[in-house]
Amino acid sequence: MAKKRLTRESPVEERAPEIIGILEGTYPDANGALKFTNPLEMLISTILSAQCTDERVNMVTQGPKGLFAKYRKPEDYLKVPESELAADIRPTGFFNQKTKSIRGACARIVEQYGGTVPNAMADLVTLPGVARKTANIVLGNSYGTVEGIAVDTHVRRVSQRLGFTQQKDPDKVEQDLMRIVPREKWFTFTYVLIEHGRAICKAPTPRCEICPVTALCPASRV
């Protein structure tokens, strides 16, 4: 029997496996770009990455004069004046809010978790400034634990255009993706979608004419 020809009008359950396979083949080396050596650094980097490129975050955190050379433990972020920490992370943008999130998270880590970044989703999301996206990134990269799919702006946009979800709330987008994407691919496919969003499925103008899944994408302009 001939294989059924899939189109952008095909049900998402039928299109999704082929889309996933094509995108995985297009971005075989997709992975996180944030540099870290321990769970605390991963947590801080992820908080800083909001509305900021990973490259800029790495510029702020790395090197002999970088953030991670100055702040090595959760207590270190609490010892300095708030204004000093804000100045140290200023290049990442939204530094006042990020300062409050970092200090709040570190205070709870010290008070409730003995100075160690927790390794469970239920605990991580109790930290100020930490929602499921950040928790998923920390768990997957630092502890090798995969409990979901990290939904950032790229993941949400690409998923919506592909017809994988019609939701706007990141947690609801995540739930839709978890039903479509095989569990063993949850961690890696996050970065595949991010790469695709950066390279081709851009906001506001996607490059549909060179997209490898344009024939299967309901939002394609080709």
Side-chain angles (χ1 to χ4, degrees):
M1 181 181 295
K3 182 179 179 181
K4 180 180 178 181
R5 180 175 178 270
L6 298 175
T7 70
R8 58 176 59 94
E9 287 81 25
S10 300
V12 65
E13 294 80 8
E14 296 179 9
R15 292 185 295 111
E18 186 159 341
I19 290 172
I20 291 169
I22 292 171
L23 291 180
E24 286 180 326
T26 305
Y27 309 100
D29 301 317
N31 54 57
L34 294 173
K35 296 180 179 180
F36 69 101
T37 62
N38 57 59
L40 178 63
E41 291 183 0
M42 183 76 262
L43 173 63
I44 301 300
S45 290
T46 307
I47 292 174
L48 293 178
S49 70
Q51 304 298 313
C52 181
T53 66
D54 291 349
E55 291 76 15
R56 183 170 291 275
V57 171
N58 290 337
M59 287 175 59
V60 169
T61 62
Q62 301 301 302
K65 295 184 178 180
L67 195 74
F68 293 158
K70 180 176 181 180
Y71 303 90
R72 298 180 180 277
K73 301 179 297 183
E75 293 87 348
D76 295 338
Y77 291 93
L78 304 173
K79 289 177 181 177
V80 301
E82 190 170 311
S83 58
E84 183 175 340
L85 177 56
D88 288 338
I89 66 172
R90 187 184 186 95
T92 68
F94 300 94
F95 52 90
N96 287 325
Q97 182 56 50
K98 290 177 182 179
T99 296
K100 289 182 171 59
S101 295
I102 290 171
R103 286 169 62 89
C106 286
R108 183 164 178 81
I109 289 169
V110 171
E111 294 166 5
Q112 298 294 324
Y113 301 105
T116 300
V117 176
N119 61 0
M121 174 68 73
D123 295 325
L124 278 168
V125 295
T126 69
L127 305 180
V130 177
R132 281 190 61 92
K133 183 205 83 169
T134 298
N136 275 318
I137 292 173
V138 172
L139 286 173
N141 285 281
S142 298
Y143 294 116
T145 300
V146 180
E147 293 193 20
I149 296 174
V151 177
D152 71 350
T153 55
H154 296 294
V155 172
R156 179 173 62 180
R157 180 179 69 255
V158 175
S159 298
Q160 290 169 339
R161 287 175 175 170
L162 288 172
F164 285 3
T165 184
Q166 296 181 349
Q167 301 294 334
K168 296 182 179 179
D169 178 78
D171 288 351
K172 293 180 180 178
V173 172
E174 181 187 11
Q175 292 303 311
D176 284 346
L177 289 176
M178 288 165 66
R179 285 190 288 269
I180 292 171
V181 180
R183 186 182 182 95
E184 67 271 15
K185 298 179 184 290
W186 285 358
F187 180 70
T188 55
F189 197 61
T190 293
Y191 295 108
V192 168
L193 289 178
I194 290 173
E195 288 295 316
H196 189 57
R198 287 173 174 165
I200 294 177
C201 199
K202 297 173 176 284
T205 307
R207 303 171 66 190
C208 298
E209 67 279 3
I210 63 170
C211 177
V213 294
T214 192
L216 300 172
C217 178
S220 172
R221 303 184 184 187
V222 175

